[in-house]
Amino acid sequence: MQMTLEFTVPDMACSACATSITQAVTAIDPTAEVKADPKTKQVSIQTQQPEATVKQAIASAGYTVQ
């Protein structure tokens, strides 16, 4: 079942950061839809993975997740 997760990533500064976050999430869920906006620091993810798993993937990529 797909669910939408909303996170704030304060250290996402540019489109390259957004790409890194997107790649981290799609590595654990290839079907995930990720919308990462460096201007607002918001990440919206449609995924089947648990929230904790997704947060860990983003943290492992080197970003703070709130």
Side-chain angles (χ1 to χ4, degrees):
M1 190 180 91
Q2 290 274 20
M3 61 183 164
T4 302
L5 304 176
E6 299 279 345
F7 300 122
T8 301
V9 182
D11 44 9
M12 174 174 52
C14 61
S15 59
C17 298
T19 300
S20 296
I21 290 167
T22 301
Q23 289 172 339
V25 174
T26 54
I28 58 160
D29 182 357
T31 64
E33 284 182 42
V34 184
K35 294 185 184 80
D37 187 343
K39 288 188 185 72
T40 62
K41 314 290 189 199
Q42 296 297 307
V43 181
S44 176
I45 303 163
Q46 292 264 346
T47 183
Q48 297 180 29
Q49 293 293 324
E51 181 174 338
T53 304
V54 175
K55 279 184 157 178
Q56 183 60 48
I58 296 171
S60 294
Y63 297 94
T64 308
V65 183
Q66 295 177 340

